[in-house]
Amino acid sequence: MSIYDYTVFALYVAGMVAVAGIFYRRNKSFKDMFAAGGQSPWWVSGLSSYMTLFSAGTFVVWGGLAYKHGMVAISINMASGLAALLVGFFIASRWKALNIATPATYIELRFGRTAVHYYTWMLMLVRIIGSAVALYALSTILVPLLPGATDGNGEVSVIPIILICGLVIVAYTIIGGLWAVLMTDVLQFIVLSISVLFTVWLALGDSGGLAAFAQAVPVNFLDFTSAGYSWFFLLGWCAIHLFMLGAEWAFVQRHISVPSQRDARKGALLFGALYIISPAIWLLPAMVYRTVDPTADPEQAYILMSQAVLPLGMLGLVAAAMFSATASMVSSQINVFAGVMTDRIYCGLLRPGASDGESVWAGRVAAALLGLAIIALAMAIPYLGGAEKVVFSLMSLFISPMFAPALWGLFSRHISASAVWLTAGVAVTLGVLLKYLAAPTGMLAAIPQFDGLVQWTADNARSLDIYIGVVAPLVVLSLLEIRGRLKARAAAGWLSLQSVAVHRETDAEASAADGRLPLMIVTWSVLACAAITTLLTLVNPGVRFEMATLSLLLFITAAILGRLLAKPGLREEPTINAPQARA
């Protein structure tokens, strides 16, 4: 990268920390720190949810799949978007109606204290590992772009990048709480959109346009299903993401951080609409690179395409987008579990009568500890010999079966805490059997009597997660639902949940106005991007028209946002602040 790229990347990182500083004084209570005071604008919640699903691995894994198999990578991600739309129509507003400050409160009310410990520690372990892997993946992508990161022997090292990126993420999460996480997610969306759209424009220009691209790709490259990814897989993938987006704590936190149930619904629908449309855009550079170099490393396809077409300074924006994607995912997990640790351990056990100020500082300490644990694990990954992948694979057996009863319990009064344990037990048993024991290299492969089962698992390798994570939980929960209906009485957890839920939203809550500050930050951020691209136009004579066009579009966008900001009906601070259950 050039000095211009380094400058753009540094300005972006500084901007993220500055945004956190703006929201520092807003964190006066536990609810402010971990639920944005219940006053996040719906569009901020929707864009933050969208970015939370990204990481640097998104460009590596899905970019690699798009390079190898084409359109099917877009189909799979659109299935995630469909799941998000279903969450918007049927689920998001129910979370807001529960009147809670953390998702752990719901688990305790609905399924009991033992279940909340199981959810808390299992999810925390898996998400810390996942965040560390994402941070490590980011560092491996940035190493070729940021030469000079070497260890004592002069060898290229990912450690400095992990340390710098990790500390920046932890810093702005600690300083600004959920407000900082939400708003930096919005900034990350802006940077990601600019970098991806510009890369697509130049990539298609270099390849001769869409028509030439379509003629140059292999047979079946533009089919919606291929390479073993069937319609059954897409349906199952949608169901898995319905469980995840509807019940995973990072997404639930977005649903409960807005002023009203209607805002929760609108935020989730925005997320879903974006994820239906955008995969065809941000996966296109990797697909186009298949026509440029059919023998390239698939996992490097996206960054190689970017390096091939982007002018001075814009590669720094792509590096910022990669950093953004990972930062969004990691900061979301830190904020969620720091909130749970503060609520459950500090305020619940150590200091039951803690003031709002104490709980905010306890939350910052918890966020720091979690962030440092993620950084340490990410730096250790090169020395683990791949062990983290085995652990993450084993833990993933628990995740979808954990979300299924949590989501089912939002709608049904008939399942009890037993649903959590039975669903997990059946799914883990099937997972160990099908993914490990009956795998072609597993113990059962050596026993002739199990040849049929081993062959079936080999033939359905891509669908095993669907059977384990969707079919098995739904069968178990359906049987428990039938049993509960035959007993004709509501589970105790359901009755406890109703005691804190808001059944009817007031007109004031439903019409609460968005604050001016989030829109102001977005407006100035777009204006800053426009100024940067204008300056870069001067040092890129070869693509001056394209850069000038991009700058003009950004200035027009900033002007439109400025007009919205000047509307007299936009209030500085929403005043609705209904009490919420915290424990």
Side-chain angles (χ1 to χ4, degrees):
M1 295 204 306
S2 68
I3 185 63
Y4 304 104
D5 297 298
Y6 287 114
T7 303
V8 169
F9 186 81
L11 287 173
Y12 171 76
V13 172
M16 291 177 65
V17 178
V19 167
I22 292 173
F23 287 100
Y24 176 79
R25 294 187 179 276
R26 282 202 170 195
N27 295 311
K28 299 177 181 178
S29 68
F30 180 90
K31 181 181 173 184
D32 293 334
M33 184 76 179
F34 298 108
Q39 297 300 331
S40 167
W42 65 268
W43 54 270
V44 171
S45 173
L47 293 179
S48 180
S49 295
Y50 175 86
M51 287 304 303
T52 299
L53 208 56
F54 275 82
S55 74
T58 301
F59 296 94
V60 173
V61 176
W62 294 116
L65 185 65
Y67 174 88
K68 290 188 293 184
H69 303 302
M71 184 67 73
V72 70
I74 297 175
S75 302
I76 295 171
N77 282 277
M78 289 178 67
S80 303
L82 177 59
L85 288 177
L86 294 174
V87 170
F89 283 118
F90 303 110
I91 297 170
S93 61
R94 283 183 172 262
W95 282 112
K96 181 61 185 176
L98 292 182
N99 200 32
I100 56 175
T102 68
T105 302
Y106 161 76
I107 298 297
E108 181 169 1
L109 290 169
R110 188 65 181 85
F111 299 115
R113 190 169 293 253
T114 304
V116 80
H117 290 311
Y118 164 64
Y119 271 79
T120 299
W121 298 112
M122 184 62 69
L123 281 173
M124 189 183 302
L125 174 62
V126 173
R127 292 317 181 200
I128 285 177
I129 295 173
S131 297
V133 171
L135 189 56
Y136 175 74
L138 169 67
S139 69
T140 61
I141 291 175
L142 293 183
V143 159
L145 301 181
L146 303 173
T150 59
D151 58 21
N153 299 320
E155 298 294 330
V156 173
S157 172
V158 298
I159 301 300
I161 298 177
I162 290 174
L163 193 59
I164 294 170
C165 293
L167 289 177
V168 169
I169 295 169
V170 173
Y172 80 72
T173 306
I174 292 173
I175 293 170
L178 185 60
W179 267 119
V181 174
L182 293 172
M183 286 310 304
T184 51
D185 281 352
V186 174
L187 300 187
Q188 290 156 4
F189 173 79
I190 294 170
V191 171
L192 180 72
S193 299
I194 294 171
S195 64
V196 168
L197 289 172
F198 198 66
T199 303
V200 167
W201 184 6
L202 296 182
L204 285 177
D206 273 18
S207 65
L210 283 174
F213 160 71
Q215 292 179 351
V217 295
V219 178
N220 300 326
F221 196 76
L222 299 180
D223 291 350
F224 282 99
T225 59
S226 63
Y229 297 100
S230 63
W231 289 109
F232 172 76
F233 177 88
L234 294 179
L235 181 62
W237 189 260
C238 178
I240 286 177
H241 278 72
L242 182 65
F243 296 158
M244 186 180 78
L245 302 179
E248 184 175 2
W249 291 4
F251 296 101
V252 172
Q253 204 78 352
R254 271 70 179 164
H255 304 326
I256 65 179
S257 68
V258 294
S260 69
Q261 296 175 43
R262 184 171 64 183
D263 288 327
R265 184 181 304 112
K266 288 162 64 177
L269 290 176
L270 173 63
F271 169 28
L274 286 172
Y275 227 88
I276 288 286
I277 299 169
S278 63
I281 300 173
W282 53 263
L283 287 175
L284 194 55
M287 295 170 64
V288 171
Y289 198 70
R290 177 65 180 266
T291 67
V292 177
D293 182 3
T295 63
D297 179 357
E299 294 186 346
Q300 293 294 318
Y302 190 94
I303 198 65
L304 290 172
M305 186 77 256
S306 300
Q307 288 178 309
V309 301
L310 289 179
L312 293 173
M314 292 302 291
L315 194 57
L317 203 62
V318 169
M322 299 285 185
F323 173 75
S324 298
T326 300
S328 175
M329 189 263 274
V330 175
S331 63
S332 295
Q333 301 301 336
I334 291 174
N335 183 267
V336 166
F337 290 108
V340 172
M341 289 175 66
T342 304
D343 191 31
R344 298 284 125 187
I345 299 176
Y346 186 79
C347 298
L349 297 176
L350 302 178
R351 293 276 292 172
S355 66
D356 282 334
E358 285 181 282
S359 64
V360 168
W361 279 105
R364 288 181 173 138
V365 172
L369 293 175
L370 285 171
L372 292 175
I374 290 171
I375 293 171
L377 184 56
M379 293 194 305
I381 284 176
Y383 309 102
L384 294 178
E388 85 288 346
K389 296 182 179 179
V390 176
V391 174
F392 191 64
S393 177
L394 286 171
M395 291 299 102
S396 69
L397 297 176
F398 291 86
I399 297 303
S400 187
M402 287 176 71
F403 297 146
L407 193 57
W408 195 289
L410 271 181
F411 295 87
S412 171
R413 67 179 65 210
H414 297 295
I415 67 167
S416 63
S418 62
V420 173
W421 312 115
L422 287 173
T423 304
V426 170
V428 170
T429 301
L430 282 176
V432 172
L433 173 64
L434 298 179
K435 297 188 73 171
Y436 298 99
L437 296 181
T441 57
M443 293 174 56
L444 298 182
I447 304 175
Q449 289 82 354
F450 291 98
D451 286 348
L453 179 61
V454 172
Q455 185 61 46
W456 183 85
T457 59
D459 294 340
N460 294 273
R462 296 203 189 279
S463 301
L464 287 182
D465 285 338
I466 308 302
Y467 289 111
I468 297 166
V470 177
V471 176
L474 289 180
V475 169
V476 172
L477 290 169
S478 297
L479 294 175
L480 293 175
E481 178 74 16
I482 294 171
R483 188 189 70 171
R485 287 179 179 273
L486 291 175
K487 291 184 176 180
R489 67 173 183 265
W494 175 267
L495 300 176
S496 299
L497 196 63
Q498 302 314 298
S499 66
V500 300
V502 177
H503 290 284
R504 185 177 182 275
E505 190 170 68
T506 67
D507 292 338
E509 288 173 319
S511 61
D514 295 341
R516 296 182 74 249
L517 185 56
L519 186 57
M520 185 183 300
I521 291 174
V522 170
T523 303
W524 282 103
S525 299
V526 174
L527 195 59
C529 290
I532 290 172
T533 54
T534 300
L535 293 175
L536 292 177
T537 302
L538 303 177
V539 297
N540 286 291
V543 289
R544 188 159 288 169
F545 171 77
E546 291 85 350
M547 293 293 296
T549 302
L550 175 62
S551 300
L552 178 61
L553 291 174
L554 290 173
F555 276 120
I556 292 173
T557 303
I560 294 172
L561 293 174
R563 291 294 300 271
L564 292 175
L565 191 62
K567 290 178 63 175
L570 196 64
R571 294 200 307 226
E572 176 72 29
E573 288 282 351
T575 56
I576 301 304
N577 210 3
Q580 291 195 359
R582 202 177 87 183

